[in-house]
Amino acid sequence: MKCIAYFSKAPLTKRGICLPIGLSDIVKASNRNAKSKMTGFLCYRQGYYFQVIEGPHEEVEQLALKISTDSRHSDPCIFINQRINKRCFTEWRVSVFDLIDQSQLFKQFIKIYKIEVANFTEQQKLGIQKFYDLKNLSYSKNYEGKNLRLIAWPDLNHISHSQIVIDLCVKLTKKSYPFNQLLDNEQFGTRDQVNAVLNQFQNLGILTVTEPDVLKKQEIGIVHTKTPSSFFGAIKKFLGMR
Amino acid sequence: MSNGKTIVKPQLLQLIEEFCENNREVVLVSLCTTDGFPIKYLSADKLSAEADKLAAISSTISALSDSSAQQMQQGKCDIIIIEAGQGNILLVKTSYLGKPCVLTVVANIKMNLAAARYKTKHLAQDFASIPE
Amino acid sequence: MDYQKLAIIGEVGAGKTQIVQTLSEISPFGTEAKSTIDIGKEHTTVGIDYGRITLSDDMALGLYGVPGQERYSFLWEFVNQSLWGLLILIKYGKTPNYENLDKMLTFFSPEKSETTCIVAITHCEEGDELSIAALGQEIRVMLMHHNVVAPVINLDPRSQESAKSLLVLFNALNN
């Protein structure tokens, strides 16, 4: 049996944007691995791919060759290429998280290959840092007294898409809100419920947590209750909502 | 099905060139498919337009006019005429090598509208008669 | 008369004509032509798909579907003013044409005009959860590069329920 691990770059578009073009095709194709005797995982994050493949020697070699000539990525850096007696992964997984690494897959991988990782060159460390924070920072999950804002919408297929969560996303994607204001009238649930959702956002890496601006403290006191327009009400009525 | 590129037969080229030769007031002749792919266009220097865009515009106007004529219960759209300050734009549906197409003719103000209409319709019929 | 517009844009076969048909209370006005190339269906939109939802005596929402191909970009101008929302449809299947999506996002600039924008993936029934998530990922990266903060959802344009939940989201975003 053999194991190969590498990271590589996603291609640049004509406008110089790093975009995982064809990621869904890659995922579809790599799902064939699940049906064959291959185990391991494939990840994408911030313009980089990371893949670990384990399986029968011949098949892994063939797959590695195919991957090295695939035009959907560039500059592959293979840092593990060795025979193994035992698989580390029991199945084939694909993870397409983007902004943060909290994946069990990595923790598992780093643990198993900790000797190799410790011997990484600076360049290899930089490459893997995209996927795993080697300093292993833990994020503060106390939002008391902080301002919160979402920099992107979460994948609503992986996070609850209840009306409350959607309303919270609508609010936080428009501007920053103090944590305490989100607890007003339990409009988004209890303190624990709001914390839980914010934790999920933080794990996805889409939540920015900042200190309240001292100068704007007085402004924050003003609760922005916009009177919904009549158009909004009319649409609600049309949709059969109260 | 084809990949969008339609063959330009020598007869088509000849018809368009003769049309322009015999009618100097014509500043543009364009043939495109009804779904907006250009086949051939010939234009006077001062009117330069991207073939792609022109084909798209012609297909939109043609389809829009068809829908409008039907919605207003006036039967099928026969010919579309846009009278502008410096000339007239005429669009008529035709076919070429079995494909539904739109012929666009732009004639400057010196050309009489009735003549432009008659000649454009005639040209459309000629295109449809080109054997496959 | 409070008349607002919802512009629907996307590549061939994404479902623009269908969503207008599903939502519109009037029989939609379409501009279709027979396709001369293989696009997986007989007809394609070469103009505007128009539909309407009447909300009251003096309020209505106009639905405008426009083709996403660049050569039809002159039509985008007709639907770029005072929009209630911009819906971008992306068909699950082959890799989307990101150059085209880039041009659409540059033209409409929803972040500059502060237009509410939602991106919807159609034909999801043809895919598995992971590949759809991966497609959502590609799209989100593209959106971030345009500083567009928009939800990416799954939509079945043939379904009344799916279409209505889309309007619920637009309405919530516009509040």
Side-chain angles (χ1 to χ4, degrees), chain C residues 8 13 23 25 27-28 33-34 36-37 46 54 62 74 76 86 91 94 99 104 114 117 130 133 141 147 149 153 166:
Chain C
I8 301 149
L23 282 171
E25 58 174 22
S27 152
K34 233 179 170 166
T36 57
I37 58 168
V46 294
T54 306
F74 64 93
W76 302 350
L86 173 68
K91 183 181 175 184
K94 278 194 294 191
E99 262 187 68
M104 283 189 241
E114 291 185 359
C117 180
L130 268 176
V141 174
N147 295 320
V149 179
I153 62 166
L166 176 73

Side-chain angles (χ1 to χ4, degrees), chain B residues 8-15 17 96 130:
Chain B
V8 178
K9 287 209 155 182
Q11 297 102 305
L12 177 71
L13 204 49
Q14 195 181 353
L15 280 168
E17 283 171 353
Y96 169 64
I130 297 173

Side-chain angles (χ1 to χ4, degrees), chain B residues 16-106:
Chain B
I16 295 176
E17 283 171 353
E18 276 174 11
F19 186 81
C20 293
E21 270 297 304
N22 299 333
N23 303 285
R24 291 303 174 120
E25 308 93 335
V26 167
V27 295
L28 183 133
V29 175
S30 150
L31 183 67
C32 69
T33 60
T34 49
D35 62 343
F37 291 105
I39 298 172
K40 184 72 194 161
Y41 91 106
L42 207 63
S43 74
D45 281 337
K46 79 169 182 167
L47 185 77
S48 69
E50 296 162 15
D52 274 2
K53 224 168 213 149
L54 201 63
I57 293 170
S58 299
S59 69
T60 300
I61 297 174
S62 170
L64 202 54
S65 307
D66 263 343
S67 286
S68 307
Q70 279 178 29
Q71 283 273 325
M72 296 185 218
Q73 294 167 347
Q74 295 304 300
K76 281 196 165 166
C77 174
D78 189 18
I79 186 167
I80 303 145
I81 298 172
I82 302 169
E83 290 186 48
Q86 295 182 344
N88 300 306
I89 304 160
L90 300 97
L91 298 102
V92 67
K93 285 234 308 256
T94 180
S95 73
Y96 169 64
L97 304 184
K99 284 188 184 178
C101 295
V102 181
L103 163 64
T104 308
V105 169
V106 179

